[in-house]
Amino acid sequence: MKKLIVFLSALVPLIAFAQEDYSDLFPTGKSTPEPVISNMYYSPNPVLTPQEEAGLKIANKWRSSNSTALKPMESQGGVVLFVFGASQPSVICAVMQVCDIELQKGEVINDLKAGDKVRWDINPSMAGNGADTTSHIIVKPLDVGLETSMLVTTNRRTYHITLRSHRDQYMARVAFTYPDDTGDQWASYRKRNQQRQPGGMDPQQAVDTSEYLGDLDFDYDVSGKASWRPSRVFNDGRKTIIQMPKAMAESEAPALVVMRGKNSFWPWGSKEEEVMVNYRFQPGTGRIIVDTVFDKAALVAGVGDNQDRVTIERVGK
């Protein structure tokens, strides 16, 4: 009888062990949306101070800003184009597929860190030579339903990217557009022109933006607040001319996005596609010249809560 009691006492811990969830130690190949983390591996969470809670609130707001941030745009070759600094981009990868994250031409990777280096295969790659060298980050998940963060530091900037894995949906090519560089280029451009001829533009460098003055359309509505809000907008049937105020010379040059059609994949219904387009600036006149006639566009400067946005819409269109 005593031997039976001893045997049953030894059996109880084994039964409790069998009832625990140790699927993370002994994977079965089945994926789950969220990995189970047992308390046996970690100590209890610390009690946060008000200062720490305020910091977490800011960090959480940044991570969750994808729902309200500028959507990624489509570039040539099916590239998913994110606006750098507008939000923390979320890149979707699939098992047995390769995600290619392309950085700016001439940008060199200094360091790369990932939260989960075991279940994500992440490797740098390079294409081109000399000044045309382009750095790539090749990402492959080893399971479905994974999520981790990746930090990439380069000789120009720091990238904070979220990686998520799907069974068969993925972004084959990802790249970035850099609004801050546009402002730096305009500042450098103005500085060079001032050095060449103080107080004015070198006549040989002037941009030909002549219009046929007999057929101009001024029927545009401009909304939004910014120090550089355009004073008027018109087109000559071939291109659109945006008259900027003198305050633009003292501020960051905005990026121009044109709304084209609807995106049926937007989760809350159809939404206009925003495509970034290039423009020319005519020094001396303060005019922005766009080589197309659009129905709706926006001038955007800054990122996040500090973003300034002015919408331009052709009335009656």
Side-chain angles (χ1 to χ4, degrees), residues 114-130:
D116 183 354
K117 295 186 292 184
V118 176
R119 297 179 295 177
W120 290 86
D121 185 10
I122 305 174
N123 294 288
S125 181
M126 300 182 72
N129 296 302

Side-chain angles (χ1 to χ4, degrees), residues 222-226 228-230 297-300 308-312:
V222 179
S223 60
K225 295 182 180 180
W228 39 261
R229 174 176 169 165
L299 290 167
V300 182
D308 291 324
R309 185 182 182 94
V310 173
T311 302
I312 302 170

